[in-house]
Coordinates of all heavy atoms in Angstrom, one line a residue:
M23 N 26.3 12.5 22.1 CA 26.3 12.8 23.4 C 25.6 13.9 23.9 O 25.6 14.9 23.2 CB 27.8 12.9 23.8 CG 28.0 12.6 25.2 SD 29.7 13.2 25.7 CE 30.7 11.7 25.4
K24 N 24.9 13.8 25.0 CA 24.2 14.9 25.5 C 24.6 15.5 26.7 O 25.2 14.9 27.5 CB 22.6 14.3 25.8 CG 21.8 14.3 24.5 CD 20.3 13.9 25.0 CE 19.4 13.9 23.9 NZ 18.0 13.4 24.3
F25 N 24.6 16.8 26.7 CA 25.1 17.6 27.8 C 24.0 18.2 28.6 O 23.0 18.9 27.8 CB 26.1 18.6 27.3 CG 27.4 18.0 27.0 CD1 27.7 17.9 25.6 CD2 28.3 17.6 28.0 CE1 28.9 17.3 25.2 CE2 29.6 17.1 27.5 CZ 29.8 16.9 26.2
F26 N 23.9 18.1 29.8 CA 22.9 18.8 30.6 C 23.7 19.9 31.5 O 23.9 19.6 32.6 CB 22.2 17.9 31.6 CG 21.2 16.8 30.8 CD1 21.8 15.6 30.5 CD2 20.1 17.2 30.1 CE1 21.0 14.7 29.7 CE2 19.4 16.3 29.4 CZ 19.8 15.0 29.2
A27 N 23.9 20.9 30.8 CA 24.5 22.0 31.5 C 23.8 22.6 32.6 O 24.5 22.9 33.7 CB 25.0 23.1 30.5
R28 N 22.6 22.7 32.4 CA 21.7 23.4 33.4 C 20.5 22.4 33.6 O 19.5 22.7 32.8 CB 21.4 24.8 33.0 CG 21.2 25.7 34.2 CD 21.4 27.1 33.8 NE 20.5 27.4 32.5 CZ 19.3 28.0 32.7 NH1 18.8 28.3 33.8 NH2 18.6 28.2 31.5
N29 N 20.5 21.5 34.5 CA 19.4 20.7 34.6 C 18.3 21.3 35.7 O 18.5 21.2 36.8 CB 19.6 19.3 34.9 CG 18.5 18.3 34.9 OD1 17.4 18.8 34.7 ND2 18.8 17.1 34.8
N30 N 17.3 21.9 35.1 CA 16.2 22.5 36.1 C 15.1 21.6 36.1 O 14.0 22.0 36.6 CB 15.7 23.8 35.4 CG 16.9 24.9 35.6 OD1 17.6 24.8 36.5 ND2 16.9 25.7 34.7
N31 N 15.2 20.3 35.7 CA 14.1 19.4 35.7 C 13.9 18.5 36.9 O 13.4 17.6 36.8 CB 14.1 18.6 34.4 CG 14.2 19.4 33.1 OD1 13.5 20.5 33.1 ND2 15.1 19.0 32.2
T32 N 14.4 19.1 38.0 CA 14.2 18.3 39.3 C 13.0 18.9 40.0 O 12.8 20.0 40.2 CB 15.5 18.5 40.2 OG1 16.6 18.0 39.4 CG2 15.4 17.7 41.4
C33 N 12.1 17.9 40.3 CA 10.9 18.3 41.0 C 11.3 18.9 42.4 O 11.9 18.1 43.1 CB 9.9 17.0 41.2 SG 8.5 17.4 42.3
E34 N 10.8 20.0 42.7 CA 11.1 20.7 44.0 C 10.2 20.0 45.1 O 10.6 20.3 46.3 CB 10.8 22.2 43.9 CG 9.3 22.4 43.8 CD 9.0 23.9 43.4 OE1 9.0 24.3 42.2 OE2 8.8 24.6 44.4
F35 N 9.2 19.3 44.8 CA 8.3 18.6 45.9 C 8.8 17.3 46.4 O 8.8 17.1 47.6 CB 6.9 18.7 45.4 CG 6.4 19.9 44.8 CD1 6.2 20.0 43.4 CD2 6.2 21.0 45.6 CE1 5.8 21.3 42.9 CE2 5.7 22.3 45.1 CZ 5.5 22.4 43.8
C36 N 9.3 16.5 45.4 CA 9.8 15.2 45.9 C 11.2 14.9 45.3 O 11.7 13.8 45.5 CB 8.8 14.2 45.4 SG 8.8 13.9 43.6
K37 N 11.8 15.8 44.6 CA 13.3 15.7 44.2 C 13.4 14.7 43.1 O 14.5 14.2 42.8 CB 14.2 15.4 45.4 CG 14.1 16.4 46.5 CD 14.4 17.8 46.2 CE 14.3 18.7 47.4 NZ 14.0 20.1 46.9
A38 N 12.3 14.3 42.4 CA 12.4 13.4 41.3 C 13.0 14.2 40.2 O 12.9 15.3 40.0 CB 11.0 12.9 40.9
K39 N 13.8 13.4 39.3 CA 14.5 14.0 38.2 C 13.7 13.6 36.9 O 13.5 12.5 36.7 CB 15.9 13.6 38.2 CG 16.8 14.3 39.0 CD 18.4 14.0 38.6 CE 19.3 14.9 39.5 NZ 19.2 14.7 41.0
L40 N 13.2 14.7 36.3 CA 12.6 14.4 35.0 C 13.4 14.6 33.8 O 14.3 15.4 33.8 CB 11.2 15.3 34.9 CG 10.1 14.9 35.8 CD1 9.7 13.5 35.7 CD2 10.4 15.1 37.3
A41 N 13.0 14.0 32.7 CA 14.0 14.1 31.5 C 13.8 15.3 30.8 O 14.8 15.9 30.1 CB 13.6 13.0 30.5
S42 N 12.7 16.0 30.9 CA 12.5 17.3 30.3 C 11.6 18.3 31.1 O 11.0 17.8 32.0 CB 11.9 17.0 28.8 OG 10.5 16.6 29.1
Y43 N 11.7 19.6 30.7 CA 10.9 20.5 31.3 C 9.4 20.2 31.3 O 8.6 20.3 32.2 CB 11.1 21.8 30.8 CG 10.4 23.1 31.7 CD1 11.0 23.3 32.9 CD2 9.3 23.7 31.2 CE1 10.3 24.3 33.8 CE2 8.7 24.6 31.9 CZ 9.2 24.9 33.2 OH 8.5 25.8 34.0
E44 N 9.0 19.7 30.1 CA 7.6 19.4 29.8 C 7.1 18.2 30.8 O 5.9 18.2 31.3 CB 7.4 18.9 28.4 CG 7.5 19.9 27.4 CD 8.9 20.6 27.2 OE1 9.9 19.9 27.4 OE2 9.0 21.8 26.8
E45 N 8.0 17.2 31.0 CA 7.7 16.1 31.9 C 7.6 16.6 33.3 O 6.8 16.1 34.1 CB 8.8 15.0 31.8 CG 8.6 14.0 30.6 CD 9.5 13.0 30.4 OE1 9.9 12.5 31.5 OE2 9.8 12.7 29.3
L46 N 8.5 17.6 33.6 CA 8.4 18.1 35.0 C 7.2 18.8 35.3 O 6.5 18.6 36.3 CB 9.6 19.1 35.1 CG 9.5 19.9 36.6 CD1 9.7 18.9 37.8 CD2 10.7 20.9 36.4
I47 N 6.6 19.5 34.3 CA 5.2 20.2 34.4 C 4.2 19.1 34.5 O 3.4 19.3 35.4 CB 5.1 21.1 33.2 CG1 6.1 22.3 33.0 CG2 3.6 21.6 33.0 CD1 5.9 23.2 34.1
S48 N 4.2 18.1 33.7 CA 3.2 17.2 33.6 C 3.3 16.4 35.0 O 2.2 16.0 35.6 CB 3.4 16.2 32.5 OG 2.9 14.9 32.7
H49 N 4.5 16.2 35.4 CA 4.6 15.4 36.8 C 4.1 16.3 37.9 O 3.4 15.8 38.9 CB 6.2 15.2 37.1 CG 6.5 14.8 38.5 ND1 6.6 13.4 38.8 CD2 6.9 15.5 39.5 CE1 7.1 13.4 40.1 NE2 7.1 14.8 40.5
A50 N 4.4 17.5 38.0 CA 3.9 18.5 39.0 C 2.4 18.4 39.0 O 1.7 18.5 40.0 CB 4.5 19.9 38.8
R51 N 1.8 18.5 37.7 CA 0.3 18.5 37.7 C -0.4 17.2 38.1 O -1.3 17.3 38.8 CB 0.0 18.7 36.1 CG -1.5 18.8 35.8 CD -1.9 19.6 34.7 NE -1.0 19.3 33.5 CZ -0.7 20.3 32.5 NH1 -1.4 21.4 32.5 NH2 0.1 20.0 31.6
H52 N 0.2 16.1 37.7 CA -0.4 14.8 38.1 C 0.1 14.3 39.4 O -0.9 13.6 40.1 CB -0.1 13.8 37.0 CG -0.8 14.2 35.6 ND1 0.0 14.5 34.5 CD2 -2.0 14.4 35.3 CE1 -0.8 14.8 33.5 NE2 -2.1 14.8 34.0
E53 N 1.2 14.4 39.7 CA 1.6 13.8 41.1 C 1.3 14.7 42.3 O 1.0 14.4 43.5 CB 3.1 13.5 41.1 CG 3.6 12.5 40.0 CD 3.0 11.2 40.3 OE1 3.0 10.8 41.4 OE2 2.7 10.4 39.3
H54 N 1.5 16.1 42.0 CA 1.3 16.9 43.2 C 0.1 17.9 43.0 O -0.1 18.7 43.9 CB 2.5 17.8 43.2 CG 3.8 17.0 43.4 ND1 4.1 16.3 44.5 CD2 4.9 16.8 42.6 CE1 5.3 15.5 44.3 NE2 5.6 15.8 43.2
H55 N -0.6 17.6 42.0 CA -1.9 18.4 41.7 C -1.7 19.9 41.7 O -2.5 20.5 42.4 CB -2.9 17.9 42.7 CG -3.2 16.4 42.6 ND1 -3.9 15.8 41.7 CD2 -2.8 15.4 43.5 CE1 -3.8 14.5 41.9 NE2 -3.2 14.2 43.0
R56 N -0.6 20.3 41.2 CA -0.4 21.7 41.1 C -1.2 22.4 39.9 O -1.4 21.7 38.9 CB 1.1 21.9 40.8 CG 2.0 21.4 41.7 CD 1.9 22.0 43.1 NE 2.1 23.4 43.0 CZ 2.1 24.2 44.2 NH1 1.9 23.6 45.3 NH2 2.4 25.4 44.0
T57 N -1.6 23.5 40.1 CA -2.2 24.3 39.0 C -1.1 24.9 38.1 O -0.2 25.6 38.6 CB -3.1 25.4 39.5 OG1 -4.0 24.8 40.4 CG2 -3.9 26.0 38.4
I58 N -1.1 24.5 36.9 CA -0.1 25.0 35.9 C -0.4 26.2 35.3 O -1.6 26.4 34.8 CB 0.2 23.9 34.9 CG1 0.7 22.6 35.6 CG2 1.4 24.4 33.9 CD1 1.9 22.6 36.5
V59 N 0.4 27.2 35.3 CA 0.0 28.6 34.6 C 0.8 28.6 33.3 O 1.9 28.1 33.2 CB 0.4 29.7 35.6 CG1 -0.5 29.9 36.8 CG2 1.8 29.7 36.0
K60 N 0.2 29.3 32.4 CA 0.7 29.5 31.0 C 1.0 30.9 30.5 O 0.3 31.8 30.9 CB -0.3 28.9 30.0 CG -0.1 27.4 29.5 CD -1.0 27.1 28.3 CE -0.8 25.8 27.8 NZ -1.5 25.5 26.6
C61 N 2.1 31.0 29.8 CA 2.5 32.3 29.4 C 1.5 32.6 28.2 O 1.3 31.8 27.4 CB 3.9 32.2 28.8 SG 4.3 33.7 27.8
S62 N 0.9 33.8 28.3 CA -0.1 34.2 27.3 C 0.5 34.5 26.0 O -0.1 34.5 24.9 CB -1.0 35.5 27.8 OG 0.0 36.5 28.2
G63 N 1.8 34.7 26.0 CA 2.5 35.1 24.7 C 3.0 33.8 24.0 O 2.7 33.8 22.8
C64 N 3.6 32.9 24.6 CA 4.3 31.8 23.8 C 3.7 30.4 24.3 O 4.0 29.5 23.7 CB 5.8 31.8 23.9 SG 6.4 31.5 25.6
G65 N 2.8 30.5 25.3 CA 2.1 29.2 25.8 C 3.1 28.3 26.7 O 2.6 27.1 27.0
K66 N 4.2 28.8 27.1 CA 5.1 28.0 27.8 C 4.5 27.9 29.3 O 3.8 28.8 29.8 CB 6.5 28.8 28.0 CG 7.6 28.0 28.7 CD 8.9 28.8 28.5 CE 9.9 28.3 29.6 NZ 10.3 26.9 29.5
E67 N 4.7 26.6 29.9 CA 4.0 26.4 31.1 C 4.9 26.5 32.3 O 6.1 26.3 32.2 CB 3.4 25.0 31.0 CG 2.3 24.9 30.0 CD 1.7 23.5 29.9 OE1 2.5 22.5 29.9 OE2 0.5 23.4 29.9
F68 N 4.4 27.0 33.4 CA 5.1 27.1 34.7 C 4.3 26.6 35.8 O 3.1 26.6 35.8 CB 5.4 28.6 34.9 CG 6.2 29.2 33.7 CD1 5.5 29.8 32.6 CD2 7.6 29.3 33.8 CE1 6.2 30.4 31.6 CE2 8.3 29.8 32.7 CZ 7.7 30.3 31.6
I69 N 5.2 26.1 36.9 CA 4.6 25.7 38.0 C 4.2 26.8 38.9 O 3.2 26.8 39.7 CB 5.5 24.7 38.7 CG1 5.8 23.5 37.9 CG2 4.9 24.2 40.1 CD1 7.0 22.6 38.3
H70 N 4.9 27.8 38.9 CA 4.6 29.0 39.8 C 4.3 30.2 39.1 O 4.9 30.6 38.0 CB 5.9 29.4 40.7 CG 6.3 28.2 41.6 ND1 5.6 27.8 42.7 CD2 7.4 27.4 41.6 CE1 6.2 26.8 43.2 NE2 7.3 26.5 42.6
E71 N 3.3 31.0 39.5 CA 2.9 32.2 39.0 C 4.1 33.2 38.9 O 4.2 33.8 37.9 CB 1.7 32.8 39.8 CG 1.3 34.1 39.3 CD 0.5 34.2 38.0 OE1 0.2 33.0 37.5 OE2 0.3 35.2 37.4
K72 N 4.9 33.3 40.0 CA 6.0 34.2 39.9 C 7.0 33.9 38.7 O 7.6 34.8 38.2 CB 6.7 34.3 41.2 CG 7.5 33.0 41.7 CD 8.3 33.4 43.0 CE 8.8 32.1 43.7 NZ 9.5 31.2 42.9
D73 N 7.2 32.6 38.4 CA 8.1 32.3 37.3 C 7.5 32.7 36.0 O 8.3 33.1 35.1 CB 8.3 30.7 37.3 CG 9.1 30.1 38.4 OD1 9.8 31.0 39.1 OD2 8.9 28.9 38.8
R74 N 6.2 32.5 35.9 CA 5.5 33.1 34.7 C 5.7 34.5 34.5 O 6.0 35.0 33.5 CB 4.0 32.7 34.7 CG 3.3 33.0 33.4 CD 1.9 32.6 33.4 NE 1.1 33.3 34.3 CZ 0.2 34.3 33.9 NH1 0.0 34.4 32.8 NH2 -0.4 35.0 34.9
L75 N 5.5 35.2 35.6 CA 5.6 36.7 35.5 C 7.0 37.1 35.2 O 7.2 37.9 34.4 CB 5.2 37.3 36.9 CG 3.7 37.3 37.3 CD1 3.5 37.7 38.6 CD2 2.8 37.9 36.2
H76 N 8.0 36.4 35.8 CA 9.4 36.7 35.5 C 9.7 36.4 34.1 O 10.3 37.2 33.3 CB 10.3 35.8 36.3 CG 11.7 35.9 36.1 ND1 12.5 37.0 36.5 CD2 12.6 35.1 35.4 CE1 13.7 36.8 36.2 NE2 13.9 35.7 35.5
H77 N 9.3 35.3 33.5 CA 9.4 34.9 32.1 C 8.6 36.0 31.2 O 9.3 36.4 30.1 CB 8.7 33.5 31.8 CG 8.4 33.2 30.4 ND1 9.5 32.7 29.6 CD2 7.4 33.3 29.7 CE1 8.9 32.6 28.3 NE2 7.7 33.0 28.3
Q78 N 7.5 36.4 31.6 CA 6.8 37.3 30.6 C 7.6 38.7 30.7 O 7.5 39.4 29.6 CB 5.3 37.5 31.1 CG 4.6 36.2 30.7 CD 3.1 36.4 31.0 OE1 2.7 37.1 32.0 NE2 2.2 35.9 30.1
R79 N 8.1 39.1 31.8 CA 8.8 40.3 31.8 C 10.0 40.3 31.0 O 10.3 41.1 30.2 CB 9.2 40.6 33.3 CG 9.5 42.2 33.5 CD 9.6 42.4 35.1 NE 9.0 41.3 35.8 CZ 9.3 41.0 37.0 NH1 10.3 41.5 37.5 NH2 8.9 40.0 37.6
E80 N 10.7 39.1 31.0 CA 12.0 39.0 30.1 C 11.6 39.0 28.7 O 12.3 39.5 27.8 CB 12.7 37.6 30.5 CG 13.4 37.7 31.8 CD 14.4 36.5 31.8 OE1 14.0 35.5 31.4 OE2 15.3 36.5 32.6
E81 N 10.4 38.3 28.4 CA 10.0 38.2 27.0 C 9.7 39.6 26.5 O 9.9 40.1 25.3 CB 8.7 37.4 26.9 CG 8.5 36.6 25.7 CD 7.5 35.5 25.9 OE1 6.4 35.9 26.4 OE2 7.8 34.3 25.7
Q82 N 9.0 40.5 27.5 CA 8.7 41.8 27.0 C 10.0 42.6 26.8 O 9.9 43.4 25.9 CB 7.8 42.4 28.2 CG 7.1 43.6 27.9 CD 6.1 43.4 26.7 OE1 5.4 42.4 26.6 NE2 6.1 44.3 25.7
E83 N 10.9 42.5 27.7 CA 12.2 43.2 27.5 C 12.8 42.8 26.2 O 13.5 43.7 25.6 CB 13.1 43.0 28.7 CG 12.7 43.8 30.0 CD 13.5 43.3 31.1 OE1 14.6 42.6 31.0 OE2 13.2 43.6 32.3
R84 N 12.9 41.5 25.9 CA 13.4 41.1 24.6 C 12.7 41.8 23.4 O 13.4 42.3 22.5 CB 13.4 39.6 24.5 CG 14.6 39.0 24.0 CD 14.6 37.5 24.0 NE 13.4 36.8 24.5 CZ 13.6 36.1 25.6 NH1 14.8 35.8 26.1 NH2 12.5 35.5 26.1
K85 N 11.5 41.9 23.5 CA 10.6 42.6 22.4 C 11.1 44.0 22.2 O 11.2 44.6 21.3 CB 9.1 42.5 22.7 CG 8.5 41.3 22.0 CD 7.0 41.3 22.4 CE 6.5 39.9 22.5 NZ 5.3 39.8 23.2
V86 N 11.1 44.7 23.5 CA 11.6 46.1 23.4 C 13.0 46.3 22.8 O 13.2 47.2 22.1 CB 11.5 46.7 24.9 CG1 12.1 48.1 24.9 CG2 10.0 46.6 25.4
K87 N 14.0 45.5 23.2 CA 15.3 45.5 22.7 C 15.3 45.3 21.2 O 16.0 46.0 20.4 CB 16.1 44.4 23.4 CG 16.8 44.9 24.6 CD 17.7 43.8 25.2 CE 17.9 44.1 26.8 NZ 18.1 42.8 27.6
N88 N 14.5 44.3 20.7 CA 14.5 44.1 19.3 C 14.0 45.3 18.5 O 14.4 45.5 17.4 CB 13.6 42.8 19.0 CG 14.3 41.5 19.4 OD1 15.5 41.5 19.6 ND2 13.5 40.5 19.5
R89 N 13.1 46.0 19.1 CA 12.5 47.2 18.5 C 13.5 48.3 18.2 O 13.5 49.0 17.3 CB 11.3 47.6 19.4 CG 10.3 48.5 18.7 CD 9.2 48.7 19.5 NE 8.5 47.6 20.0 CZ 7.7 47.5 21.1 NH1 7.6 48.6 21.8 NH2 7.1 46.3 21.4
Y90 N 14.5 48.3 19.2 CA 15.4 49.5 19.1 C 16.7 49.0 18.4 O 17.7 49.8 18.4 CB 15.7 50.0 20.5 CG 14.6 50.7 21.0 CD1 13.7 50.2 22.0 CD2 14.0 52.0 20.4 CE1 12.6 50.8 22.5 CE2 12.9 52.5 20.9 CZ 12.2 52.0 21.9 OH 11.0 52.7 22.5
R91 N 16.8 47.8 18.0 CA 18.1 47.3 17.3 C 18.4 47.9 16.0 O 17.5 48.3 15.2 CB 18.0 45.8 17.1 CG 19.4 45.2 17.0 CD 19.3 43.8 16.8 NE 19.2 43.1 18.1 CZ 18.8 41.7 18.2 NH1 18.4 41.0 17.2 NH2 18.8 41.3 19.3
Ligands
ZN120 ZN1 7.4 15.4 42.4
ZN121 ZN1 6.4 33.3 26.8

């Protein structure tokens, strides 16, 4: 049984529900011709530049925390 506790895979442009985040990215790229931005650290893709910046900041904070553990 699969649980979708937090389904973030709904398209914000047309409200279509995608099965995975990867499909959502691909959908936004092909259906809405969005420019997809990539995290330079892990290669994760984002629809919005601000989401990427937020992710990269979190990733950076995680690295800093690990260093002081
Ligand atoms: Zn859509
Ligand atoms: Zn990343």
Side-chain angles (χ1 to χ4, degrees):
M23 198 190 274
K24 273 185 181 173
F25 288 99
F26 295 101
R28 207 161 54 96
N29 192 348
N30 287 330
N31 304 320
T32 302
C33 175
E34 67 189 88
F35 308 109
C36 70
K37 308 298 176 201
K39 283 192 171 58
L40 287 305
S42 68
Y43 187 74
E44 287 70 27
E45 280 185 34
L46 174 63
I47 293 292
S48 156
H49 168 91
R51 179 157 38 204
H52 294 113
E53 298 295 324
H54 305 293
H55 305 285
R56 303 295 303 183
T57 304
I58 304 303
V59 289
K60 259 190 178 184
C61 169
S62 54
C64 67
K66 191 172 161 63
E67 296 178 313
F68 299 91
I69 296 168
H70 299 291
E71 176 66 13
K72 66 171 168 51
D73 290 340
R74 183 176 71 103
L75 291 175
H76 178 76
H77 161 84
Q78 286 187 326
R79 202 168 340 148
E80 282 190 336
E81 214 165 51
Q82 198 57 42
E83 278 170 21
R84 221 173 354 240
K85 268 183 207 154
V86 171
K87 269 180 207 153
N88 286 343
R89 202 174 298 158
Y90 292 108
R91 198 178 274 165

